[in-house]
């Protein structure tokens, strides 16, 4: 049994604000994953590796310009210390310049031994760190955060829930939105009627086949309406293609009937 199987996947965040991670470790599924030895987590203060009385971690940029840059020495020392603790971990810099984090990247990272997540602050980190100390650069979206800490938490959260045994069975992670490139079907719980809106009858029918079909169809409808890009890139099953064809026939019928008798009817002028 290797280290990962014995002690769980190792996440180390390198940050100047380690306290930011405390509430994150202490709740919900992340807490449970730690308690069950599915993951190990720590946030290491980069300041511990900075020299001098004030343990300064940033400095002005060479060449001028506004903002401050994270100094290379404390970062390098922090990365080296983390690598000693977790030699097989991937070293990832959180930066808006990185490749975009998505479900595919989360799956890819979930099979690694561990992650060392370097949380940049200020205007960025000294380029020599990016060059020599990092395996990968990741962005969680096209916007600029005040630091990489929230991005690190997003990654830890999304990756942790993919680790087998974390959710109620592997099935839940696989059936989720994005993993099969369609959005999840509509979900309902009690009460049966809420503020005048009822739970769809079919879900109360007890007919599992019909429920399964209904879920697939609502999944496809939502994906088509909210994220058609996902549908375009998905390898559709035979059943999914049949559902889409049925919509086409239904839509054509509506157009046909309207063109004969509706306000836009071909014979009726405008
Ligand atoms: N640091 C600042 N902005 C970021 C982003 N969008 N993704 C990852 N790290 C960041």
């Amino acid at each position: 049994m290797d280290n990962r199987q014995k002690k769980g996947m190792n996440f180390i965040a390198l940050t100047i604000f380690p306290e930011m991670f405390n509430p994150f470790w202490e709740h919900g599924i992340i807490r449970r994953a730690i308690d069950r030895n599915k993951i190990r987590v720590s946030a290491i203060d980069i300041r511990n590796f900075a020299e001098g009385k004030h343990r300064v971690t940033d400095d002005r940029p060479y060449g001028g310009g506004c903002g401050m840059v994270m100094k290379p020495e404390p970062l390098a020392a922090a990365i080296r210390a983390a690598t000693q603790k977790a030699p097989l971990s991937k070293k990832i810099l959180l930066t808006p310049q990185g490749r975009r984090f998505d479900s595919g990247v989360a799956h890819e990272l979930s099979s690694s031994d561990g992650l060392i997540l370097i949380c940049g602050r200020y205007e960025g980190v000294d380029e020599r760190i990016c060059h020599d100390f990092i395996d990968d650069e990741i962005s969680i979206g096209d916007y600029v955060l005040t630091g990489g800490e929230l991005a690190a938490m997003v990654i830890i959260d999304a990756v942790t829930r993919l680790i087998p045994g974390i959710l109620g069975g592997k099935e839940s992670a696989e059936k989720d939105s994005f993993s099969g490139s369609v959005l999840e079907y509509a979900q309902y719980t009690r009460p049966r009627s809420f503020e005048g809106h009822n739970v769809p009858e079919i879900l109360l029918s007890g007919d599992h086949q019909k429920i399964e079909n209904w879920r697939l169809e609502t999944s496809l409808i939502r994906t088509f309406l909210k994220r058609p890009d996902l549908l375009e890139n998905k390898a559709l099953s035979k059943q999914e293609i049949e559902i889409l064809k049925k919509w086409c026939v239904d839509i054509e019928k509506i157009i046909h009937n309207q063109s004969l008798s509706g306000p836009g009817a071909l014979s009726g002028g405008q």
Side-chain angles (χ1 to χ4, degrees):
M1 200 186 253
D2 65 21
N3 227 13
R4 157 133 189 205
Q5 284 168 318
K6 259 195 304 217
K7 298 189 197 158
M9 189 168 175
N10 195 6
F11 294 101
I12 301 176
L14 302 182
T15 167
I16 56 166
F17 295 126
E19 302 81 14
M20 276 180 77
F21 288 82
N22 293 341
F24 174 58
W25 310 140
E26 282 164 14
H27 297 95
I29 287 175
I30 298 296
R31 169 84 267 159
R32 203 171 68 196
I34 297 166
D35 291 344
R36 292 185 180 173
N37 293 329
K38 296 284 184 192
I39 61 170
R40 281 171 289 159
V41 297
S42 51
I44 296 179
D45 194 342
I46 296 165
R47 268 185 223 287
N48 294 344
F49 300 89
E51 301 278 322
K53 199 170 123 203
H54 298 293
R55 295 190 175 273
V56 174
T57 55
D58 62 324
D59 206 343
R60 287 182 313 234
Y62 272 118
C66 56
M68 301 290 270
V69 177
M70 288 186 89
K71 286 165 70 62
E73 309 94 313
L75 268 176
I79 295 170
R80 285 200 174 105
T83 309
Q84 261 194 345
K85 270 178 73 171
L88 298 178
S89 287
K90 247 186 129 181
K91 291 168 285 230
I92 296 172
L93 176 68
L94 287 323
T95 161
Q97 296 183 14
R99 66 181 171 128
R100 179 75 74 81
F101 186 66
D102 62 11
S103 171
V105 179
H107 276 275
E108 179 197 313
L109 298 180
S110 73
S111 62
S112 52
D113 193 75
L115 304 178
I116 297 171
L117 298 157
I118 297 117
C119 307
R121 283 260 149 193
Y122 318 112
E123 292 306 303
V125 308
D126 188 288
E127 188 62 22
R128 291 161 292 186
I129 290 294
C130 311
H131 220 256
D132 298 336
F133 289 81
I134 300 293
D135 299 317
D136 200 356
E137 296 187 6
I138 291 182
S139 161
I140 61 161
D142 285 343
Y143 40 79
V144 182
L145 301 166
T146 55
E149 286 77 7
L150 289 173
M153 289 183 226
V154 165
I155 291 173
I156 295 170
D157 195 278
V159 169
T160 295
R161 62 188 294 291
L162 297 176
I163 296 172
I166 296 285
L167 299 183
K170 197 167 171 256
E171 223 196 344
S172 325
E174 268 173 11
K175 280 201 169 174
D176 271 355
S177 296
F178 301 112
S179 46
S181 291
V182 286
L183 302 181
E184 214 187 341
Y185 48 77
Q187 296 272 26
Y188 297 86
T189 186
R190 286 185 292 182
R192 204 163 150 165
S193 180
F194 171 69
E195 301 197 352
H197 299 285
N198 295 332
V199 173
E201 278 301 321
I202 206 157
L203 297 179
L204 311 170
S205 69
D207 185 330
H208 295 298
Q209 189 55 54
K210 273 192 182 156
I211 292 173
E212 199 61 23
N213 293 346
W214 179 88
R215 285 183 164 162
L216 178 59
E217 187 153 1
T218 57
S219 245
L220 283 173
I221 290 173
R222 313 183 130 194
T223 312
F224 179 66
L225 293 176
K226 296 184 186 181
R227 292 291 306 275
D229 57 308
L230 292 179
L231 220 46
E232 265 166 40
N233 298 323
K234 179 175 161 38
L236 294 168
S237 71
K238 240 180 157 175
Q239 197 187 357
E240 288 165 337
I241 289 174
E242 285 311 313
I243 292 172
L244 295 180
K245 276 187 183 163
K246 187 174 130 304
W247 294 352
C248 288
V249 171
D250 291 348
I251 291 169
E252 268 175 14
K253 254 191 228 159
I254 293 172
I255 294 171
H256 179 74
N257 290 342
Q258 287 287 326
S259 65
L260 290 179
S261 58
L266 296 176
S267 55
Q270 314 293 302

